[in-house]
Amino acid sequence: MLSRRNFLTSAAFAGATVAVGTLDGCSKKSTAAAAGSSGGTSAKTITLGFSQVGSESGWRAANTQSIKDSATAAAITLKFSDAEQKQENQIQAIRDYISQKVDVISFSPVVTTGWDTVLKEAKAAKIPVVLTDRSVDSDPSLFVTLVGSDFEAEGERAAHLLEKVLALPGAPKTVNIAVLEGTTGSAPAIDRAKGFKKIADASHPEWKIVASQTGDFTRDGGKQVMAAFLTAHPEINVLFAHNDDMGLGAITSIEAAGKKPGTDILIVSIDGTHDGFVAMTQGKINAIAECNPLLGPQLMDTIKTVLGGGSVPAWIKTKEGDFMAADAAAALPNRKY
Ligand code: GYE
């Protein structure tokens, strides 16, 4: 989905952003401009309007906390809304932020398409938009940058972790995979599927995806869909879950069906939440490709740079690690989410 792998600058927004605001004591000229009609001399506080996807997962809870904490630490005034995984709620929140004349808008788009109109409205109001976590399929000139992970790489990493899990003693030779997909049309669901398939198609004719369906990134979704999968496809012996929460929900259904998660059904997931790590220490999840939700500090730094008139890369990627169940106990005490 995100094909903009080249690092561009935010020149398209530079003109607009310099006029919008400034940072505490960053530039005399723009401080005066930002103080505007109040005629004050103190630096203007940045107001950020943020539209969060929802509260669907442990990853999201950590992401929300990170954004709130880092806004406070950066002395940025945060207007926050939760869209309950509905695009119309996000569009409404963005329109509200435009009419409130916030300095900058940030959001994690629930799906990739359908944003052009509202992004054009923000641009016309000269309010820069910084995407975080998930990207959109819109013209890149409609937003400044994306602060978030490479989901296609995560799908590839999950496939490589599965290779390692299948190389362990006792692993099956016939590989019948069930996939629990994330929210349909979301960047992580599209790109994680793509990355995983790329490795499977290139190197593993023996891997068969026998069932693949969305569990909407929720624990309950994972539980329900896995229960149906197990009835329809008793041959499933591997689960690739697009996030930990769906994997954790699936574990409940696997156990209810009298099978052992991590043994009868090998499980690889993505995120690396606390509960995901605990499941690895119990041998119920075999491996996790980390997706770091602690994007707040980088997002606030980016916002300050953008509003200060500086240029930023078109995509600010996150560094992430891979974990096998054998590494989990040692890693767990150091996990931050
Ligand atoms: O993996 C999942 C969450 O967009 C990266 O959304 C995020 C995903 C994350 O619900 O747990």
Side-chain angles (χ1 to χ4, degrees):
M1 194 50 47
L2 246 172
S3 51
R4 298 170 305 108
R5 288 182 193 282
N6 51 334
F7 281 12
L8 307 171
T9 66
S10 63
F13 266 97
T17 55
V18 169
V20 168
T22 183
L23 314 177
D24 302 354
C26 181
S27 144
K28 279 182 217 133
K29 191 178 72 192
S30 23
T31 299
S37 56
S38 71
T41 50
S42 61
K44 181 182 181 288
T45 305
I46 294 168
T47 299
L48 159 66
F50 188 91
S51 170
Q52 181 60 289
V53 173
S55 327
E56 72 283 3
S57 65
W59 190 100
R60 189 64 55 197
N63 180 246
T64 292
Q65 198 56 50
S66 170
I67 285 156
K68 289 184 173 170
D69 291 349
S70 54
T72 306
I76 289 177
T77 303
L78 176 67
K79 290 175 184 276
F80 183 93
S81 54
D82 176 335
E84 296 173 347
Q85 290 198 283
K86 292 193 182 73
Q87 183 172 35
E88 63 265 30
N89 292 348
Q90 287 200 296
I91 291 174
Q92 189 53 52
I94 295 166
R95 291 204 166 121
D96 289 347
Y97 294 143
I98 295 171
S99 65
Q100 291 163 22
K101 297 188 174 21
V102 299
D103 299 308
V104 54
I105 291 171
S106 183
F107 71 113
S108 171
V110 59
V111 290
T112 57
T113 56
W115 300 104
D116 289 20
T117 306
V118 75
L119 289 175
K120 281 179 188 159
E121 289 166 18
K123 192 170 188 179
K126 298 196 187 330
I127 300 177
V129 174
V130 176
L131 299 180
T132 184
D133 167 29
R134 302 182 182 178
S135 193
V136 295
D137 256 353
S138 300
D139 172 352
S141 74
L142 293 175
F143 58 93
V144 184
T145 183
L146 165 70
V147 178
S149 301
D150 184 337
F151 301 135
E152 192 176 329
E154 287 173 356
E156 292 177 21
R157 286 164 45 212
H160 289 310
L161 282 170
L162 179 58
E163 290 170 341
K164 286 174 89 173
V165 169
L166 290 169
L168 294 173
K173 295 283 164 265
T174 310
V175 181
N176 295 318
I177 305 175
V179 181
L180 285 168
E181 304 161 18
T183 300
T184 305
S186 69
I190 296 167
D191 290 346
R192 288 172 182 171
K194 192 173 166 193
F196 187 86
K197 191 172 180 304
K198 188 170 149 192
I199 305 303
D201 287 353
S203 321
H204 297 290
E206 78 285 11
W207 291 7
K208 283 191 198 64
I209 295 184
V210 298
S212 186
Q213 206 177 299
T214 183
D216 211 14
F217 278 134
T218 65
R219 224 172 260 218
D220 194 51
K223 181 177 162 207
Q224 307 290 341
V225 176
M226 192 66 195
F229 280 173
L230 290 168
T231 311
H233 300 281
E235 73 278 20
I236 289 168
N237 54 11
V238 168
L239 168 65
F240 168 39
H242 283 189
N243 78 342
D244 292 348
D245 281 86
M246 292 190 294
L248 293 163
I251 286 171
T252 313
S253 295
I254 293 168
E255 288 174 337
K259 294 192 174 177
K260 247 183 128 190
T263 305
D264 298 330
I265 298 186
L266 304 171
I267 303 179
V268 174
S269 66
I270 298 178
D271 273 355
T273 56
H274 174 82
D275 291 357
F277 264 80
V278 169
M280 277 203 290
T281 63
Q282 297 166 341
K284 295 182 179 184
I285 291 182
N286 304 82
I288 296 180
E290 182 185 42
C291 175
N292 190 348
L294 307 180
L295 303 174
Q298 252 180 328
L299 178 63
M300 301 310 150
D301 286 352
T302 303
I303 283 168
K304 288 193 168 189
T305 304
V306 168
L307 292 183
S311 64
V312 291
W315 184 4
I316 299 166
K317 287 193 202 179
T318 317
K319 289 204 184 88
E320 293 158 344
D322 293 325
F323 298 88
M324 296 288 284
D327 311 323
L332 186 55
N334 305 318
R335 300 297 299 166
K336 302 253 181 323
Y337 61 96

